């Protein structure tokens, strides 16, 4: 990509502070250590700007006073906003369709495959993803206010609450949508968000997608355990790991409605308690190792990382020693 400095200033909404020898840049970089000659660098501070210039940057974007007359200095009050404007430029150049989704829907889309992609959370990674994207591509992005204000032709995924799972399981959903039957290893807690995705695909006659493994769904993972709380195979007891406070409240409300007497809520002692947890069978822990001795009948809803809990209940060394 070759861009004239004056055009670049317009795209980024920045003010050119200097009259540099160079007149154009050939690309963008967000890491001063990896910059190549001719690129533009988005500088968070003076130190990184100087490193970038020493490594060959032709332009510096940020709230930086000029210190090299061969380099273009473009002032903006907020570097992230300037990067968002660059994303907007890429979106408009390729006529990309941005679809905004909740964090739950982004995680669910990560469990699907098809002719669409997900926009990374990092602004730098998002730029490079857009660079590699195709003309007219469908890209799902987190419902972010900054990107939403700057993007073109964006729409938003909804949710559907009218269809219920036929399954009584906490961990599986069984339903019919658009004449197609689904039997998925997905908790009904997240069914309205998933149906919103299916409804969007149906409205665009988009059928080129397939279901992958819902084990990739990051916000809700059951760890089935035996009587001594060791990781187990088929079992009617499980630690249900949720790693997001907002989603924890959603799951708690669902569990409280469906299996009120059959679960306990286990929270770290230092976490701020949600007012909705007042009537919960609450157990507080200092570290995850304490859960090894936790007594519960069916389910323990735990605010923690699944892999960390599994490691604490059965460390890798123990597993290795019992393989043979």
């Amino acid at each position: 990509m070759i861009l004239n400095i004056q055009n670049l200033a317009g795209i980024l909404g920045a003010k050119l502070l200097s009259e540099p020898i160079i007149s154009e840049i050939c690309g963008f970089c967000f890491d001063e250590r990896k910059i190549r000659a001719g690129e533009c660098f988005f500088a968070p501070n003076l130190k990184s700007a100087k490193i970038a210039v020493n490594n060959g940057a032709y332009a510096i974007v940020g709230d930086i006073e000029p210190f090299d007359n061969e380099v273009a200095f473009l002032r903006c009050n907020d570097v992230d906003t300037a990067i968002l404007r660059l994303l907007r430029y890429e979106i408009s150049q390729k006529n990309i369709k941005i679809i905004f989704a909740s964090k739950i829907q982004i995680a669910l889309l990560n469990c699907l495959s098809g002719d669409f992609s997900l926009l990374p959370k990092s602004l730098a990674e998002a730029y490079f993803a857009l660079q590699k994207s195709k003309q007219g591509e469908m890209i799902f992005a987190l419902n972010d206010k900054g990107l939403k204000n700057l993007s073109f032709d964006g729409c938003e995924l909804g949710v559907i609450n009218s269809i219920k799972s036929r399954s009584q399981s906490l961990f599986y959903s069984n339903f019919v949508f658009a004449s197609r039957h689904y039997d998925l290893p997905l908790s009904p807690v997240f069914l309205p968000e998933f149906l919103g995705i299916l409804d969007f695909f149906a409205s665009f006659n988009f059928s080129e997608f397939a279901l992958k493994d819902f084990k990739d769904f990051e916000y809700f993972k059951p760890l089935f355990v035996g009587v001594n709380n060791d990781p187990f195979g088929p079992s009617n007891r499980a630690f249900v790991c949720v790693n997001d406070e907002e989603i924890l409240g959603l799951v708690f409300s669902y569990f409280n409605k469906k299996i009120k007497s059959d679960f306990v809520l286990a929270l770290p002692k230092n976490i701020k308690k949600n007012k909705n947890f007042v009537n919960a069978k609450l157990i507080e822990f200092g570290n995850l190792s304490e859960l090894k001795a936790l007594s519960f009948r069916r389910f323990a809803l735990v605010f923690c990382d699944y892999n960390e809990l599994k490691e604490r209940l059965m460390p890798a060394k123990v597993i290795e020693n019992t393989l043979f």
Side-chain angles (χ1 to χ4, degrees):
M1 172 189 289
I2 303 296
L3 269 178
N4 176 275
I5 292 296
Q6 295 290 346
N7 292 339
L8 175 62
I11 290 168
L12 302 182
K15 179 181 180 181
L16 183 60
L17 299 179
S18 57
E19 297 182 3
I21 296 174
I22 56 94
S23 60
E24 58 189 24
I25 55 104
C26 64
F28 298 91
C29 188
F30 306 88
D31 185 336
E32 65 270 24
R33 300 163 299 177
K34 298 179 180 179
I35 200 152
R36 294 176 296 183
E39 291 183 327
C40 172
F41 176 66
F42 292 86
N45 53 57
L46 179 60
K47 181 180 178 181
S48 62
K50 288 183 175 180
I51 295 172
V53 169
N54 287 337
N55 288 339
Y58 273 21
I60 298 294
V61 178
D63 190 11
I64 308 292
E65 290 295 330
F67 56 81
D68 189 313
N69 59 13
E70 294 184 2
V71 176
F73 287 84
L74 295 96
R75 170 167 287 163
C76 65
N77 294 328
D78 184 73
V79 171
D80 284 351
T81 299
I83 299 173
L84 282 169
R85 289 180 179 276
L86 179 62
L87 299 188
R88 175 178 174 167
Y89 176 75
E90 287 291 327
I91 289 168
S92 63
Q93 289 294 102
K94 294 185 176 180
N95 196 27
I96 290 168
K97 185 171 186 61
I98 295 290
I99 305 98
F100 295 102
S102 69
K103 58 186 173 185
I104 291 174
Q105 287 171 324
I106 292 292
L108 290 169
L109 284 160
N110 207 34
C111 300
L112 307 178
S113 61
D115 192 18
F116 63 84
S117 59
L118 305 181
L119 196 67
K121 294 179 183 178
S122 159
L123 292 178
E125 291 177 10
Y127 168 71
F128 292 120
L130 289 171
Q131 261 202 325
K132 296 176 183 177
S133 62
K134 300 174 290 187
Q135 281 285 338
E137 187 172 348
M138 182 188 297
I139 299 181
F140 292 92
L142 186 63
N143 204 339
D144 174 83
K145 185 177 180 180
L147 182 60
K148 200 169 183 179
N149 287 342
L150 289 169
S151 71
F152 294 160
D153 194 26
C155 61
E156 188 172 339
L157 293 184
V159 298
I160 295 178
N161 292 297
S162 57
I163 299 176
K164 306 299 180 184
S165 173
R166 297 173 175 179
S167 171
Q168 296 301 309
S169 171
L170 296 176
F171 310 114
Y172 287 85
S173 293
N174 185 303
F175 62 96
V176 175
F177 181 82
S179 302
R180 179 178 173 181
H181 177 255
Y182 293 85
D183 190 6
L184 306 175
L186 173 70
S187 173
V189 179
F190 308 105
L191 185 54
E193 304 262 6
F194 185 69
L195 289 168
I197 296 171
L198 295 183
D199 185 58
F200 174 83
F201 285 159
S203 67
F204 281 86
N205 295 316
F206 181 76
S207 58
E208 302 293 321
F209 73 94
L211 303 173
K212 295 193 298 185
D213 194 341
F214 278 89
K215 289 180 180 178
D216 290 337
F217 185 63
E218 61 182 296
Y219 292 123
F220 178 99
K221 292 190 176 186
L223 177 60
F224 293 96
V225 293
V227 292
N228 296 318
N229 289 344
D230 295 319
F232 205 71
S235 171
N236 64 352
R237 299 177 71 250
F239 288 102
V240 181
C241 305
V242 177
N243 63 3
D244 180 280
E245 288 190 50
E246 180 184 344
I247 294 172
L248 179 69
L250 181 68
V251 176
F252 173 80
S253 296
Y254 185 85
F255 276 29
N256 206 35
K257 180 180 178 181
K258 294 292 184 181
I259 54 162
K260 190 168 186 177
S261 62
D262 277 347
F263 83 101
V264 298
L265 177 65
L267 300 178
K269 290 179 180 178
N270 59 354
I271 190 175
K272 183 179 180 181
K273 306 303 183 291
N274 187 313
K275 62 181 180 180
N276 295 326
F277 299 158
V278 172
N279 298 319
K281 296 177 183 176
L282 180 61
I283 295 169
E284 297 181 286
F285 59 89
N287 62 72
L288 290 175
S289 298
E290 295 174 20
L291 297 182
K292 179 75 174 177
L294 179 63
S295 176
F296 61 96
R297 193 166 76 89
R298 292 292 306 282
F299 306 109
L301 177 58
V302 189
F303 183 65
C304 72
D305 178 79
Y306 172 89
N307 291 321
E308 288 183 11
L309 178 59
K310 187 174 182 180
E311 171 65 23
R312 294 298 181 93
L313 296 183
M314 183 172 283
K317 289 183 178 179
V318 175
I319 296 174
E320 291 171 4
N321 290 338
T322 59
L323 284 178
F324 301 101

